[in-house]
Amino acid sequence: MKTAIYPGTFDPITNGHLDIIDRALRLFDKIIIIVARNPAKSPLFTAEERVFLIEQALADIKGDAALAVEMFDGLIVDFARQRKANAIIRGLRAISDFEYELQMALVNRRLYAEVSTVFLMPHEKYTYLNSTIVKEVASFGGDISNFVPPVVELMIKKKFGR
Ligand code: ADP
């Protein structure tokens, strides 16, 4: 049984994240999506809301036992060790992601040698997408229906009082 964890802020989950989850599911038996509270990033959604949105978005694709969503605040490698996961999934969109991701991957491997970071490239149509740009477009009333699942679109509109 090969378990991977997919950590992130997911504020909120986008179609880019879903693309990565879909690809990871083809490689691993189980994917645990970990929502980091990340107060330093002043998230728009609470961690509980972000978990709810991910669960709803995943129910749209598949109500699968291979997927789980959890909140976690500590070191990702501690979570990996607890769950005997030997892979951390991260998305790579552009060179600009690379330096930070390389550093994280090497630090995590140093902290827990059993874990490897696996980078997955999303479909080209998602390489420009991140949660920040989605929130920015939505805050000005722009159409985000191509960027996020319907449940996220609805919740963002509510957040911005539209
Ligand atoms: P973090 O704060 O950990 O970067 P994010 O929610 O922004 O959390 O991203 C979580 C992971 O998902 C990261 O590996 C990021 O590169 C990846 N990711 C985010 N958006 C996309 C996208 N559009 N395509 C592919 N991967 C993505």
Side-chain angles (χ1 to χ4, degrees):
M1 175 100 174
K2 295 272 182 222
T3 301
I5 57 184
Y6 180 31
T9 311
F10 301 104
D11 183 44
I13 189 162
T14 69
N15 291 341
H17 293 125
L18 289 172
D19 179 282
I20 296 295
I21 293 168
D22 189 52
R23 287 169 203 280
L25 272 175
R26 294 166 208 221
L27 300 174
F28 295 92
D29 303 305
K30 185 170 175 90
I31 312 289
I32 308 173
I33 299 156
I34 307 177
V35 175
R37 271 185 198 277
N38 243 340
K41 285 199 172 179
S42 307
L44 176 67
F45 292 99
T46 66
E48 289 76 11
E49 286 171 332
R50 285 178 268 147
V51 168
F52 170 80
L53 289 174
I54 296 170
E55 282 170 345
Q56 292 293 308
L58 295 176
D60 285 352
I61 9 178
K62 47 163 70 187
D64 204 311
L67 287 169
V69 189
E70 294 188 32
M71 250 179 280
F72 187 69
D73 281 322
L75 279 175
I76 290 305
V77 287
D78 287 339
F79 188 97
R81 199 182 279 117
Q82 279 166 26
R83 300 307 174 88
K84 298 190 178 10
N86 34 29
I88 297 172
I89 305 288
R90 295 288 287 176
L92 266 192
R93 287 158 290 188
I95 293 284
S96 52
D97 284 339
F98 183 76
E99 223 169 86
Y100 172 73
E101 293 294 342
L102 176 69
Q103 182 186 27
M104 288 290 296
L106 295 179
V107 167
N108 284 335
R109 192 165 65 191
R110 189 70 199 227
L111 293 173
Y112 179 44
E114 301 298 304
V115 84
S116 295
T117 303
V118 175
F119 293 106
L120 296 174
M121 287 73 177
H123 190 284
E124 307 84 81
K125 67 183 175 188
Y126 299 129
T127 50
Y128 61 87
L129 199 57
N130 64 27
S131 302
T132 305
I133 198 82
V134 166
K135 286 178 282 190
E136 198 161 321
V137 171
S139 73
F140 292 111
D143 179 11
I144 55 165
S145 59
N146 287 319
F147 305 155
V148 294
V151 61
V152 172
E153 190 186 356
L154 203 76
M155 283 277 279
I156 291 195
K157 280 184 178 162
K158 269 195 191 160
K159 280 271 178 196
F160 289 114
R162 291 179 189 275

